[in-house]
Amino acid sequence: MNYPLYSDEFFMNEALREAEKAFDEDEVPVGAVIVSNNTIIARAHNLTETLSDATAHAEILAITSAENYLGSKYLGDCTLYVSLEPCLMCAAATKWVQLGKIVYGASDPKAGYKLIGKAVLHPATKVQHGILEHECGGILTKFFQSKRKNK
Amino acid sequence: MNYPLYSDEFFMNEALREAEKAFDEDEVPVGAVIVSNNTIIARAHNLTETLSDATAHAEILAITSAENYLGSKYLGDCTLYVSLEPCLMCAAATKWVQLGKIVYGASDPKAGYKLIGKAVLHPATKVQHGILEHECGGILTKFFQSKRKNK
């Protein structure tokens, strides 16, 4: 299928091509591209099996690749095209990079970020806090105090 | 300070040592270690500046490292010690790896995962969906159908 150049469908089709690569590699087929000024600056597909890394989602890999390409931690002028609604991890990653826009294809009612409001952690994960709280907070305070002094 | 061997304080102190390395490298000082059977199998600190990657949090790097060490996508028998309450991205990452336990030092009322319920995306991030929805969902359906056939 040919789509009009630079249309959302055009770029989503590129994300879908990445998903197809994942499919061929026996990975859950999700693909992503990141676009800046109508140019694809990063493309990736899910590699959780290949890398034995459950965090190696298409979006995370594409974001890291785009940051490397631009030499910047921020992707404010970029659009992420991704074939599936991002999960909470990937959604939160887009917040850290201050992503300009997300365009996704299929919705993910089971693990999509729109589930926010329900439990984020795995049900089997226990949580504890406060261990060396003073020291752990203190080094942060010290860091930001030194930042302010140097301004 | 010496802490009893294998105590929470002992391992949190190791996370704190990682945070100190970050501090020395002018990174926001957060550190993490991952422990399995009383052995530290991964250690990392925040490298967002060094790598120009806003997703290079201590927890994410430690999780990836632990997965590599174990050759497994799952960290169910592991405990993550981290000097600061994980953000939503890192919390969601721990869900994907089915992490056994989280122990954190300082709370993070500004960006910690306990904020869940408030907006996950950056305020400037626009969202659109449904582009090539049928195709993007279809490749997933096809993938899982082929999985069921092969069982």
Side-chain angles (χ1 to χ4, degrees):
Chain A
M1 178 82 77
N2 286 324
Y3 300 100
L5 197 60
Y6 306 147
S7 66
D8 282 336
E9 288 77 7
F10 175 83
F11 289 120
M12 186 61 77
N13 194 48
E14 292 298 312
L16 195 53
R17 286 178 58 187
E18 286 296 317
E20 286 163 354
K21 291 183 197 170
F23 186 94
D24 292 342
E25 295 164 13
D26 211 29
E27 297 275 3
V28 173
V30 180
V33 298
I34 292 179
V35 175
S36 175
N37 294 322
N38 278 335
T39 301
I40 294 174
I41 62 168
R43 51 191 311 144
H45 54 274
N46 178 38
L47 285 175
T48 51
E49 298 299 329
T50 304
L51 299 179
S52 288
D53 179 359
T55 73
H57 290 195
E59 301 96 309
I60 295 285
L61 300 174
I63 285 168
T64 302
S65 178
E67 287 172 318
N68 285 343
Y69 178 83
L70 295 175
S72 166
K73 288 192 306 172
Y74 301 113
L75 303 178
D77 295 328
C78 296
T79 297
L80 167 70
Y81 289 85
V82 57
S83 60
L84 183 68
E85 178 186 338
C87 75
L88 206 49
M89 173 183 72
C90 294
T94 71
K95 184 173 183 180
W96 285 115
V97 301
Q98 303 182 10
L99 184 70
K101 188 173 181 180
I102 296 170
V103 182
Y104 67 84
S107 293
D108 184 356
K110 286 187 185 163
Y113 75 90
K114 290 188 172 176
L115 283 175
I116 187 169
K118 297 190 180 177
V120 183
L121 301 183
H122 190 270
T125 300
K126 300 181 196 76
V127 177
Q128 186 176 340
H129 66 96
I131 307 295
L132 301 190
E133 182 170 24
H134 179 73
E135 292 85 342
C136 293
I139 192 171
L140 282 161
T141 304
K142 189 176 158 193
F143 179 77
F144 287 111
Q145 279 178 343
S146 75
K147 285 285 163 200
R148 282 191 289 271
K149 274 184 195 162
N150 294 334
K151 270 189 182 172
Chain B
M1 180 83 77
N2 285 326
Y3 299 101
L5 198 60
Y6 306 147
S7 66
D8 283 335
E9 288 78 7
F10 174 82
F11 289 121
M12 185 62 78
N13 194 49
E14 292 299 311
L16 194 55
R17 286 177 60 187
E18 286 296 317
E20 286 164 353
K21 291 182 196 168
F23 186 95
D24 291 343
E25 295 164 13
D26 212 29
E27 297 275 2
V28 173
V30 180
V33 298
I34 292 180
V35 175
S36 175
N37 295 322
N38 278 337
T39 302
I40 294 175
I41 63 169
R43 51 191 312 144
H45 55 274
N46 177 38
L47 285 176
T48 51
E49 299 299 329
T50 303
L51 299 179
S52 288
D53 180 359
T55 73
H57 289 195
E59 300 96 311
I60 295 284
L61 300 174
I63 284 169
T64 303
S65 178
E67 288 173 317
N68 285 344
Y69 177 83
L70 295 175
S72 166
K73 288 193 305 172
Y74 301 113
L75 303 178
D77 294 328
C78 297
T79 297
L80 167 70
Y81 289 84
V82 56
S83 60
L84 183 68
E85 179 186 337
C87 75
L88 207 49
M89 173 183 72
C90 294
T94 70
K95 184 173 184 180
W96 285 114
V97 301
Q98 302 182 11
L99 184 70
K101 188 173 182 182
I102 296 171
V103 182
Y104 67 84
S107 293
D108 184 356
K110 286 186 185 163
Y113 76 90
K114 290 188 172 176
L115 283 174
I116 188 168
K118 296 189 181 177
V120 183
L121 302 184
H122 191 270
T125 301
K126 300 179 196 75
V127 177
Q128 185 176 341
H129 66 95
I131 308 295
L132 302 190
E133 181 171 26
H134 179 72
E135 293 85 342
C136 292
I139 192 171
L140 283 161
T141 304
K142 189 176 160 194
F143 179 78
F144 287 111
Q145 278 178 343
S146 75
K147 285 285 161 199
R148 281 191 290 270
K149 275 183 194 161
N150 293 333
K151 270 187 181 175

